[in-house]
Amino acid sequence: LKSDTQTVYTRSITNPLGAVKYINQGKNNTIYLLQATDTDSPYLAAGQYRSFKGNAGKSKVTIGRVKRNLGNKSHVGLIATNRDYQVGGSGSVVEFDSLINFLDDYILDLNYARSDTQESNINFIETDDTFAGRTYAMDGESFSGIAKNIRLRRAVDRSYAGIRFKDVSPTYRAHVGFVGRNDYKSRNYWYGRTYRSQGTLRKITFHWNNRNRLNFRNEKTQEFYQFKIELETNFNFTGAIEWQHEPSEKFNGIQYGEQKDYEMSGQYHPSERFFTSFEIEKGESIAYRIEKPVIGDSTEYNLYNVFRFSDNFKISLGHRYSELKNKVTGEKFYAGEINRLELDYQIDGALSTRTIIEKNDFSDDYYLEALIQWKPNPYTILYAGGTQFYEEPNPFSDNLRLETSQIYLKYQYFYQPNS
């Protein structure tokens, strides 16, 4: 179901009452069908600078996929989706896609998608904003949109290069996908080269990338340059240094000046018992969500560690911090962290468990997930688990209150008839 236009995002079925899925994978053809009923349907209305979301209530979801293998790892295919809302209205997308390998080193990706939207007359998006002469509010309007993608890549032993043109019209929506931005024409060019040696530094790769974005009135809204160096050593350490430069960006009709960003990351795997990685990013970014957006100073870092105590048991710890503050006053537009603990235990060859605990400052909640997986053979999988979200009732309380809870069960069996 993967597509460069994000036509399908199965997690947009957020609270299924029930679902049936059928997959048939043959030598030359693949067929995928899914029918589901969602009791809490997220509605995402994309825009040029921001998206609007709401809950459309109950809906029926249909996804179909046909794919034809052409040999040489090439294929052509068709994706079709439809969502009928109980409150009225519907949304559908039909997409043609292909991947063609030719002349040994070249890969061509083509996507062409058309969406058709019929709004209901029951409004669940509270805004007066408009797009392409229409309103985001649900008022019975109907319209169609187009998304196109062309990407040509070439990869040889020590270098690669590519170009990509992607257009998404102001009226394009993917009701079972994840399209949060439209009304743009993106032009992307990149090149990379790798050098190898037998010494301590085994591999070094240089990346260059340029992207320009225009709206459908052919006004330039973003200019972006990136240069990146990746390193690989003989002592199980890999790292990267990256520079990003935006000479200009247009947001909500305002033209902003240059923004610079620097990033450093690394991964170290000294033994099977321990793994660690880090990522530090510092630079400039627009505070998009305040009333009068300005360019601020941004800082972000991520730390991730894995401790494997035995072949059956491991603990993973993750920490992420992110902030954006005013360049003049130092006032923080936002700041917060996400801390995550994951416990994995393999009971035997078929049965395993996973427990996740997460504290999120940005959503101000605690997340708990428990999962049991049973996989007696490659053709059979059973999942059983549950998720819960907890919140503090008020800033002065030390108690946690359960906000939402969900349990789930999934059984999957692959049947291969005798040839």
Side-chain angles (χ1 to χ4, degrees), residues 11 24 101 116 120 179 190 235 347 374 382:
R11 289 191 178 185
N24 187 322
N101 288 273
D116 289 285
S120 83
V179 177
W190 63 91
F235 53 91
I347 299 173
W374 181 59
L382 174 67

Side-chain angles (χ1 to χ4, degrees), residues 40-45 51-57 85 123-126 138:
D40 291 299
S41 307
Y43 193 98
L44 184 63
S51 56
F52 298 88
K53 63 180 181 178
N55 190 325
Y85 301 96
N123 187 30
F124 44 81
I125 296 182
E126 297 298 329
M138 298 291 104

Side-chain angles (χ1 to χ4, degrees), residues 337-340 356-368 388-393 399-404:
E337 60 185 41
I338 300 174
N339 295 296
R340 182 183 178 97
I356 297 173
I357 303 173
E358 183 178 278
K359 170 67 170 69
N360 191 327
D361 283 350
F362 296 100
S363 56
D364 196 25
D365 62 22
Y366 294 81
Y367 170 72
L368 172 65
Q388 292 180 326
F389 284 90
Y390 295 85
E391 291 185 357
E392 296 177 355
N399 298 320
L400 295 178
R401 180 177 66 195
L402 178 63
E403 294 295 323
T404 61

Side-chain angles (χ1 to χ4, degrees), residues 367-418:
Y367 170 72
L368 172 65
E369 177 178 346
L371 170 70
I372 298 175
Q373 175 184 283
W374 181 59
K375 190 176 180 180
N377 57 64
Y379 304 100
T380 306
I381 304 177
L382 174 67
Y383 296 100
T387 60
Q388 292 180 326
F389 284 90
Y390 295 85
E391 291 185 357
E392 296 177 355
N394 60 70
F396 307 101
S397 173
D398 294 329
N399 298 320
L400 295 178
R401 180 177 66 195
L402 178 63
E403 294 295 323
T404 61
S405 181
Q406 184 182 62
I407 59 173
Y408 55 86
L409 180 70
K410 177 181 178 180
Y411 177 72
Q412 182 172 288
Y413 178 72
F414 290 93
Y415 171 69
Q416 184 174 8
N418 295 327

